Amino acid sequence: MAFTLEQLIVIVPIFLVSLTFHEFAHSFAALLLGDRTSQAMGRFSLNPLKHIDPLGFILFILFGFGWAKPVMVNRENLRHPLRDDVIISLSGPLANFILAITSAILLRILLKGGLLAGGTLEIIPNIFIYTIIVNISLAIFNLLPIPPLDGSHIITDIIEIWSPSLAYKFYKFGSRLILILIILERVTDIDFLPIGGMINSVTNIIFRTFLNI
């Protein structure tokens, strides 16, 4: 999905803010659970420059999906390594879901109050709508089980409870297979993984629930 110049002017700042909250949530959760590694690396910050991955940022502009620099976690500092690592991994997508729902609620309040009628204020609904779409996209994309995305940590930690060796094999080989399927989707237009469908479904649920559209 390529963006027009007009869309990029609105979407890029939204992407940077959303991505920053995502990574800050990881760092905050790690700090609460006993690991200060990310804080020592300067990632406990709301400064987007601390979190941007150049390649992930460029791919977002070109294709509509991207990522940030992963927050480093030392599981040896966690009280319950597997459980806490899952919580830390989930915190980023959860932050994006919260931002999306908060944006929908604020937009509903502004629309109900008649505060966005006419003039330059007409762009504000689009800002909120793009915020919802970008955050849902970030949340679902990051839940994919592909390193270094959050989903890979979650699935690997769950598998490791039963079999550390199987968890290693999945992280090394299974996640690569999923990445290959995603690339094939882009090349062949065959829907191997319903990522776009999931993003559309969740986004539509939020629109219907909070905005009646």
Side-chain angles (χ1 to χ4, degrees):
M1 177 179 65
F3 299 116
T4 65
L5 179 60
E6 291 79 6
Q7 288 175 323
L8 284 175
I9 292 173
V10 176
I11 291 177
V12 167
I14 293 172
F15 175 70
L16 291 176
V17 170
S18 304
L19 177 147
T20 298
F21 270 93
H22 179 106
E23 299 304 326
F24 176 79
H26 285 315
S27 185
F28 182 68
L31 188 62
L32 286 179
L33 293 170
D35 180 39
R36 297 181 176 272
T37 303
S38 62
Q39 184 185 40
M41 296 175 69
R43 302 299 300 282
F44 188 70
S45 172
L46 291 173
N47 180 357
L49 296 178
K50 299 287 187 179
H51 305 292
I52 292 175
D53 178 279
L55 178 59
F57 182 67
I58 292 171
L59 287 177
F60 175 79
I61 292 174
L62 295 177
F63 302 109
F65 71 92
W67 56 82
K69 292 186 293 186
V71 166
M72 296 294 104
V73 176
N74 185 348
R75 295 201 309 184
E76 293 182 1
N77 295 329
L78 301 174
R79 291 181 285 275
H80 304 281
L82 294 179
R83 184 203 67 183
D84 291 351
D85 193 47
V86 169
I87 293 172
I88 293 168
S89 298
L90 285 172
S91 64
L94 178 60
N96 291 129
F97 280 120
I98 291 173
L99 278 176
I101 292 172
T102 301
S103 297
I105 293 172
L106 289 175
L107 180 55
R108 181 181 178 88
I109 292 172
L110 292 173
L111 291 173
K112 286 289 186 180
L115 302 176
L116 301 177
T120 57
L121 294 178
E122 291 180 354
I123 193 176
I124 294 180
N126 287 336
I127 293 175
F128 280 104
I129 289 171
Y130 279 130
T131 300
I132 295 167
I133 295 171
V134 167
N135 276 280
I136 294 302
S137 299
L138 274 174
I140 292 178
F141 179 74
N142 274 280
L143 286 173
L144 293 174
I146 304 169
L149 301 180
D150 302 322
S152 65
H153 294 280
I154 296 168
I155 298 298
T156 303
D157 287 334
I158 292 173
I159 296 175
E160 191 172 341
I161 295 174
W162 290 279
S163 174
S165 61
L166 182 60
Y168 171 78
K169 291 176 182 177
F170 169 79
Y171 192 85
K172 188 172 182 180
F173 302 109
S175 56
R176 292 180 182 177
L177 174 60
I178 295 172
L179 179 59
I180 291 171
L181 290 178
I182 291 175
I183 294 172
L184 286 175
E185 276 193 355
R186 295 283 175 173
V187 174
T188 64
D189 289 331
I190 298 175
D191 194 14
F192 293 104
L193 299 168
I195 302 168
M198 287 189 291
I199 292 172
N200 289 335
S201 296
V202 175
T203 302
N204 289 333
I205 289 172
I206 291 177
F207 285 160
R208 289 196 301 269
T209 302
F210 296 99
L211 300 172
N212 295 322
I213 56 177

